[in-house]
Amino acid sequence: MEAKSIQFKRNAVEALDDPNLQAALKFAKDGFIGKRTAAVAQLPEWNSIRNDVRVMKNHVLDNLDHYLLAYEAAVLANGGVVHWAQTPEEATDIIATICTDMNAKTVAKGKSMVGEEVDLNAALEKAGVVPIETDLGEYIIQLADEPPSHIIAPAIHKTKEQVTGLFHEHHRQYGLHEKITDRAGLVAEARQVLREKFLTADVGITGANFLVAETGQHVLVTNEGNGDLSSVLPDTHIVIAGIEKVVPNLDDASALLRLLARSATGQHFSNYTSFISGPRRAGDTDGPKRFHVVLVDNKRTEMLGNELRDMLRCFRCGACLNHCPVYGSVGGHAYGWVYSGPMGAVVSPVMIGLENAPDLPHACTLNGRCSEVCPMSIPLPSLLRRHRQATFERQLVSNASRYGLTFWAALATRPRLYQLFTQSVIILLSRLGRRRGYFKRLPLAGGWTRSRDLPAPQGKSTFMALYRQRRQSL
Amino acid sequence: MNNKPKVGLFVTCLVDLYRPNVGFAAIALLEKSGCEVVVPETQTCCGQPAFNNGDRASTIKIAKQTIEAFSGFDYIVAPSGSCAGMLKHHYPELLMDQTQWSDRASEFATRVFELTCFLVDIMSIDLSQTRFDSSVTYHDSCSGLRELNIKAQPRQLLGNIDGVSLNEMEDTEVCCGFGGTFCVKFPEISERMVSDKVALVEQSGADVLTGGDLGCLLNISGRLNRMASPIRVYHVAEILAGMIDEPAIGEPTSTNTQP
Amino acid sequence: MNARESILCRVRAACGRASETTPNVATSTDLSSGGIQNRARLLAEFPESVRQRLSNPQPMTQPKKPERSTDELIRQMEAVQISVVRLQSTADVVAAVDWYLQDQGIEGELTVAPSLNALEWSAQTRFGPASGKESTSVTTAVAAVAETGSIAFASDEQTPTTLNFLPENHIVVLHESQIVERIEDVWTQIRSMPAIPRAVNLVTGPSRTGDIEQTIEIGAHGPKRMHVMLVAAN
């Protein structure tokens, strides 16, 4: 998809004024946060597991080449094929070629954020292959022709009424004429339509939550079962995954799984957690006949080598989005690309270029709630500050804020001048507003005063001036 | 006299400009707890505006200036979790690579405390003579809460004051939307966040909102004022020191007396 | 330089090991031609810490063991809408299936995992993978995890994977002796198999989705009902 992150401010304002979106975000906030808190509280070992897993993932990142090679060798031994892609284009070319070589007409897709990242659907369509999203949320946004607005709940921005409308519009071809208005009915309708797609798809494409180097398995976590159906029914199964997804062994994957479902949906364990490897074995009566894995770099090695390395521990649970008050106010689409919320504000500028997303790292109050809930202990605010530093150094911030900051810094490093300046500002402000106690409007402070009054300073003097007077009078 | 701990007060730029009363309240509380308090004149701001906007070089200059200004004190105390967090956690991080400064910054950090933490965790203070007849709700400012674990200390101190009843609001740990320059860079998002916060403050039924960070309090009070709410806003130090004769934050001066 | 080599080079550079090279060990796509042995040769090229971690799981924090695994399993399964009935012996399975289908008013075709074909099924019972037409499957599992309430299925010709996903009703015959305490215990079992099965599915309740207004609906794509027949240990 074309990134629209450059217009973050405009997107955000539109989002705040969108009543459907605001209603949908309310559901999200009420659901996710409480369930996660309860699920975490029931696991007394939470922090200890969190610490072990951080250490384990750091060890993997330090040895990423070895674990990738071990995973590759295990996949080959299981009878699969491993492809490596440096860029989104390489990844989509590989997959489109596999599909066209199979004369594939339709592809059943399980939800994959890397698939979104490389814009896989567009590439498949270009190659004459019809991709069908099978995760209900992904299916809804595919009908709406929209990108996901949340990494685990892609259609979180849609209300039930909007889904009713989408099915009414798009399912006429399947004989649906009335409007389905209840949730259960909508789910049943999607089940029926997509069941046929699963059974007839030539290729299944899924993501992977983890890649297990010990066994060559990929781990697929869903609640709907769509990932498993996509991987077991079509003759060819293709997995697309970022290179950071590799973990050493099955026990390491288990530790991660204990954190994943609790962080994502507040479940102890997701409904379907499948460890899948290769094509069907001798004697098997179902399963794909061909199995491919596409390992995608797309700037991950760049992050591995710079100060954003911690971000590669991210396993896309969405807890940072759910707990971010900015995400909760504007939703995912405002961020303008496939990833949103705190993790998106770190990852998107790397993948689409900081110059195309200069506002994202700044659209955060650095309140730290994201890193507090992050199961992988990623210091998100610090990583956002790294990006901010780059926006400052690369002059990607407005001149007004740049010069303002430079002027302020020049004062703040000269205490005597600073105190003279602040004292004169206070005299001015107190003349203007002290009687009333606040300002409704003030030049240069429009951002503040559009929605709140600016309290006037308490008196005619700064603390430092008063303190000096008091000391002199002693 | 000589064995009194010597405390350097880090005033913070917002208290310096907007609410000197908080600085004097902090001095009163520290002295009451048995400290000797000095305010070094070569302090300005902790550097967060530069730090959080990516100007690392300026931040480092300010950090060194602050460390210099507070050498020779047993403790450095600030009436702000956000600024104390900056001094305690981010200065050592920023100066980590500078050989002659990294140890100094780490040692400095061990002496830095936020006011309410200092009064509870290091000193002890007798507030039994203080009275404040009000129902109060406490907003947990994010940096103090998450960088310094400030949660129980201000509540414990408020609990020691006669007449105070604490009405906790829902989501008291959720950001108010201030975020330093965030609130002017993204005013619409900030407005949504502060509106949500104000709704919860009002639901709490408290007469007074308090907290440990002036930035958040200016933000919330500005919104309360715009919504014509009667809820009054004080920094927690003002309440603890019994220095609530001043008009609350954002209230007009009733008399012509100088603070 | 191909994509594989470029990526590996960049990884090594990012890890401060730019001077190292990719081990020149041919890996095979064919098990019979010695893929496993080659993998062992490859592993021999890795640092000790990596080799260790690939062959022996390192101790990690695990949740404490439940006091009574069977009780905990049933509690966990019921919490995720898996209904449980306890049977005295495998001989009761066929009758219990009939009774369950009648009780729930389930009609349509039944497909049974070949692993259960020794039982006294009616003459027209079909065995084998699911095609999508049958309403109900009856399968066996390799383990059930008390920690999570998950049932572990491993694919082979006796227990095809499609049986776990396509039918609307999934009945599982589970032996009390198959109950394990934690997820890791399943792996001990899987590792002892002659080869890794194509699919190991940990299933923790009937299919569900929260994708419409974050409200849970049962039966998104997989089974709408999951029913466990827990056969007592002798």
Side-chain angles (χ1 to χ4, degrees):
Chain A
M1 68 174 280
E2 190 199 341
K4 295 190 179 104
S5 309
I6 193 85
Q7 315 165 17
F8 175 81
K9 285 185 179 169
R10 199 207 300 167
N11 301 344
V13 171
E14 284 171 14
L16 287 163
D17 289 337
D18 179 344
N20 276 327
L21 173 67
Q22 292 299 325
L25 286 170
K26 179 91 172 62
F27 278 109
K29 182 173 167 279
D30 293 350
F32 282 131
I33 295 180
K35 285 185 198 164
R36 177 201 165 273
T37 309
V40 170
Q42 284 168 26
L43 185 66
E45 298 84 0
W46 179 259
N47 278 324
S48 176
I49 296 174
R50 205 173 161 219
N51 191 48
D52 288 353
V53 156
R54 180 178 54 80
V55 172
M56 181 270 289
K57 265 309 254 189
N58 285 346
H59 163 77
V60 172
L61 294 175
D62 286 339
N63 294 282
L64 189 58
D65 50 334
H66 301 129
Y67 284 113
L68 286 169
L69 287 168
Y71 169 74
E72 179 191 51
V75 172
L76 295 175
N78 292 331
V81 184
V82 179
H83 309 259
W84 302 68
Q86 301 177 75
T87 61
E89 294 71 31
E90 283 184 15
T92 54
D93 282 354
I94 291 165
I95 294 173
T97 305
I98 297 170
C99 290
T100 48
D101 283 355
M102 297 287 116
N103 288 317
K105 289 178 195 64
T106 61
V107 167
K109 277 188 72 204
K111 192 175 96 60
S112 158
M113 286 312 295
V114 186
E116 295 285 348
E117 181 187 312
V118 303
D119 210 0
L120 182 54
N121 286 359
L124 289 172
E125 280 163 11
K126 212 171 136 204
V129 184
V130 180
I132 296 139
E133 295 290 352
T134 61
D135 170 82
L136 179 58
E138 283 282 338
Y139 180 67
I140 291 167
I141 60 165
Q142 190 181 29
L143 294 182
D145 194 21
E146 288 174 12
S149 71
H150 189 289
I151 54 178
I152 66 153
I156 201 167
H157 59 289
K158 291 279 184 227
T159 59
K160 187 182 71 186
E161 288 66 31
Q162 289 174 307
V163 179
T164 298
L166 283 166
F167 281 15
H168 183 65
E169 183 188 341
H170 292 275
H171 281 196
R172 212 162 288 172
Q173 54 174 319
Y174 308 120
L176 177 74
H177 296 291
E178 67 276 27
K179 286 193 168 178
I180 304 172
T181 54
D182 64 311
R183 258 186 302 271
L186 290 165
V187 172
E189 168 69 12
R191 178 187 175 102
Q192 192 193 329
V193 166
L194 288 169
R195 178 53 67 95
E196 196 51 35
K197 307 284 184 193
F198 280 124
L199 290 167
T200 54
D202 305 295
V203 174
I205 301 179
T206 66
N209 293 82
F210 311 110
L211 307 171
V212 186
E214 176 192 3
T215 54
Q217 294 162 311
H218 62 277
V219 184
L220 207 52
V221 180
T222 75
N223 278 318
E224 298 181 2
N226 64 307
D228 291 280
L229 287 170
S230 302
S231 76
V232 72
L233 292 173
D235 271 350
T236 302
H237 178 203
I238 305 172
V239 168
I240 178 169
I243 53 172
E244 84 285 13
K245 292 283 185 196
V246 69
V247 298
N249 61 53
L250 286 164
D251 289 29
D252 296 330
S254 309
L256 287 162
L257 288 166
R258 286 194 178 99
L259 303 183
L260 178 61
R262 287 179 172 90
S263 298
T265 53
Q267 290 168 283
H268 290 202
F269 217 63
S270 299
N271 274 47
Y272 299 108
T273 303
S274 295
F275 290 68
I276 305 172
S277 60
R280 63 171 75 177
R281 309 289 196 261
D284 280 3
T285 51
D286 59 14
K289 298 190 175 96
R290 284 165 294 273
F291 176 77
H292 298 264
V293 183
V294 183
L295 299 173
V296 181
D297 179 348
N298 194 23
K299 306 283 174 75
R300 286 166 174 81
T301 49
E302 185 184 310
M303 293 167 80
L304 188 68
N306 67 27
E307 289 155 327
L308 301 175
R309 177 187 270 219
D310 286 334
M311 196 62 213
L312 294 174
R313 290 200 300 270
C314 176
F315 62 10
R316 312 287 191 257
C317 69
C320 63
L321 280 68
N322 300 337
H323 290 78
C324 173
V326 175
Y327 178 92
S329 300
V330 301
H333 283 168
Y335 292 79
W337 199 54
V338 297
Y339 297 116
S340 55
M343 62 76 56
V346 175
V347 167
S348 300
V350 178
M351 293 186 176
I352 63 175
L354 188 58
E355 65 283 2
N356 293 316
D359 284 334
L360 298 192
H362 292 270
C364 162
T365 61
L366 302 174
N367 62 76
R369 207 173 173 213
C370 50
S371 56
E372 182 180 67
V373 298
C374 176
M376 304 306 289
S377 315
I378 300 169
L380 291 152
S382 301
L383 303 185
L384 290 173
R385 274 201 200 91
R386 297 289 180 191
H387 274 322
R388 290 184 184 191
Q389 197 185 327
T391 59
F392 183 78
E393 282 159 7
R394 290 174 55 191
Q395 311 205 353
L396 294 172
V397 291
S398 74
N399 280 339
S401 91
R402 221 184 132 68
Y403 295 140
L405 194 58
T406 310
F407 173 72
W408 174 87
L411 277 178
T413 45
R414 291 169 179 81
R416 293 193 62 175
L417 194 61
Y418 177 89
Q419 279 157 28
L420 279 173
F421 179 80
T422 49
Q423 178 61 20
S424 30
V425 168
I426 285 311
I427 291 172
L428 182 71
L429 281 181
S430 71
R431 276 210 191 127
L432 292 172
R434 195 160 68 92
R435 267 185 193 287
R436 203 172 184 191
Y438 58 88
F439 302 97
K440 286 242 178 249
R441 267 207 316 250
L442 201 65
L444 301 174
W448 180 287
T449 53
R450 70 183 291 281
S451 57
R452 68 215 119 184
D453 297 335
L454 180 66
Q458 181 195 349
K460 286 183 198 165
S461 281
T462 62
F463 173 87
M464 293 307 270
L466 292 169
Y467 179 75
R468 211 171 295 131
Q469 282 169 22
R470 199 165 90 161
R471 297 236 338 201
Q472 277 158 7
S473 67
L474 282 179
Chain B
M1 182 76 195
N2 279 347
N3 52 14
K4 277 188 173 180
K6 198 173 164 203
V7 170
L9 181 71
F10 186 78
V11 180
T12 80
C13 59
L14 286 177
V15 166
D16 182 40
L17 280 163
Y18 267 92
R19 199 74 185 162
N21 199 44
V22 176
F24 290 113
I27 293 177
L29 289 165
L30 289 166
E31 286 176 346
K32 193 172 186 179
S33 76
C35 301
E36 183 191 335
V37 186
V38 175
V39 183
E41 297 215 18
T42 48
Q43 60 177 301
T44 58
C45 162
C46 67
Q48 280 190 86
F51 184 52
N52 293 337
N53 282 291
D55 183 356
R56 196 178 166 92
S58 300
T59 317
I60 287 177
K61 271 192 215 161
I62 295 170
K64 290 177 180 173
Q65 172 182 292
T66 308
I67 293 173
E68 287 281 5
F70 286 88
S71 61
F73 288 99
D74 297 322
Y75 299 104
I76 300 99
V77 176
S80 155
S82 164
C83 307
M86 179 72 190
L87 271 52
K88 202 173 180 69
H89 292 300
H90 298 299
Y91 280 11
E93 230 170 81
L94 283 159
L95 296 168
M96 201 166 55
D97 304 329
Q98 306 202 8
T99 35
Q100 67 275 47
W101 280 94
S102 71
D103 289 351
R104 212 173 152 187
S106 308
E107 188 279 326
F108 168 82
T110 61
R111 292 183 282 130
V112 172
F113 292 88
E114 182 273 343
L115 178 67
T116 61
C117 290
F118 184 74
L119 293 175
V120 171
D121 300 340
I122 304 296
M123 305 300 289
S124 61
I125 186 167
D126 176 14
L127 295 171
S128 59
Q129 299 304 306
T130 318
R131 224 192 139 78
F132 186 56
D133 290 302
S134 264
S135 57
V136 170
T137 195
Y138 190 90
H139 167 66
D140 289 294
S141 290
C142 300
S143 305
L145 175 72
R146 300 198 175 89
E147 291 183 343
L148 302 172
N149 278 319
I150 306 171
K151 178 82 190 178
Q153 300 90 335
R155 288 173 172 79
Q156 183 186 324
L157 293 171
L158 285 168
N160 290 344
I161 291 183
D162 281 341
V164 167
S165 66
L166 192 62
N167 291 16
E168 293 284 5
M169 68 179 116
E170 214 183 297
D171 283 348
T172 176
E173 297 185 358
V174 172
C175 179
C176 70
F178 173 61
T181 48
F182 171 87
C183 66
V184 288
K185 282 192 284 190
F186 302 95
E188 296 86 359
I189 304 174
S190 177
E191 173 181 352
R192 160 59 46 82
M193 289 164 68
V194 74
S195 304
D196 290 351
K197 178 56 73 176
V198 158
L200 297 173
V201 171
E202 288 188 321
Q203 269 173 37
S204 78
D207 306 323
V208 169
L209 167 80
T210 189
D213 270 273
L214 196 53
C216 312
L217 297 177
L218 290 170
N219 180 42
I220 303 171
S221 121
R223 183 66 188 175
L224 284 167
N225 218 15
R226 179 64 58 91
M227 305 308 285
S229 165
I231 296 170
R232 308 175 77 202
V233 181
Y234 285 102
H235 189 284
V236 69
E238 298 177 286
I239 296 176
L240 296 176
M243 290 167 65
I244 28 109
D245 305 330
E246 280 295 317
I249 296 168
E251 273 183 0
T253 39
S254 45
T255 64
N256 287 327
T257 50
Q258 268 287 123
Chain C
M1 208 189 285
N2 63 23
R4 176 179 183 263
E5 199 47 41
S6 302
I7 292 171
L8 291 169
C9 270
R10 279 203 299 274
V11 169
R12 288 192 291 260
C15 294
R17 295 186 278 109
S19 58
E20 292 178 18
T21 53
T22 308
N24 188 18
V25 176
T27 34
S28 167
T29 57
D30 182 4
L31 266 175
S32 58
S33 75
I36 295 288
Q37 284 82 350
N38 281 353
R39 187 163 182 270
R41 271 185 50 211
L42 177 72
L43 263 51
E45 305 266 339
F46 295 158
E48 177 62 21
S49 62
V50 174
R51 253 196 339 261
Q52 272 295 323
R53 194 124 203 165
L54 282 168
S55 40
N56 296 308
Q58 309 292 295
M60 305 256 274
T61 307
Q62 295 179 357
K64 70 172 195 310
K65 295 180 179 181
E67 274 176 28
R68 296 168 59 88
S69 291
T70 304
D71 295 350
E72 180 64 10
L73 177 73
I74 293 173
R75 196 177 72 82
Q76 293 286 352
M77 289 200 297
E78 287 176 344
V80 293
Q81 289 87 41
I82 299 175
S83 56
V84 184
V85 63
R86 303 187 75 156
L87 302 182
Q88 279 310 307
S89 101
T90 332
D92 302 335
V93 166
V94 175
V97 168
D98 283 343
W99 188 87
Y100 177 73
L101 296 177
Q102 268 187 23
D103 180 60
Q104 299 288 314
I106 297 168
E107 295 174 350
E109 238 178 86
L110 181 74
T111 305
V112 177
S115 57
L116 287 168
N117 67 3
L119 302 182
E120 311 267 309
W121 301 98
S122 68
Q124 64 271 40
T125 305
R126 239 176 46 80
F127 298 93
S131 67
K133 294 191 186 74
E134 46 287 283
S135 69
T136 307
S137 63
V138 187
T139 73
T140 55
V142 293
V145 186
E147 176 193 348
T148 57
S150 309
I151 306 170
F153 301 94
S155 65
D156 64 18
E157 59 182 319
Q158 294 295 306
T159 49
T161 307
T162 41
L163 293 177
N164 307 331
F165 294 98
L166 278 173
E168 283 198 3
N169 312 290
H170 185 191
I171 300 171
V172 184
V173 179
L174 185 72
H175 292 269
E176 216 172 321
S177 59
Q178 292 179 306
I179 298 173
V180 299
E181 288 163 338
R182 291 181 292 215
I183 309 166
E184 285 84 347
D185 303 326
V186 177
W187 309 137
T188 312
Q189 229 168 303
I190 296 291
R191 288 184 185 110
S192 72
M193 293 178 174
I196 298 283
R198 187 196 65 80
V200 180
N201 308 116
L202 301 181
V203 180
T204 318
S207 163
R208 71 188 62 211
T209 182
D211 274 345
I212 303 176
E213 292 184 341
Q214 307 312 298
T215 308
I216 300 299
E217 289 291 336
I218 297 290
H221 291 297
K224 294 178 179 173
R225 286 195 194 89
M226 208 167 167
H227 183 60
V228 166
M229 298 182 170
L230 187 57
V231 182
N234 289 332

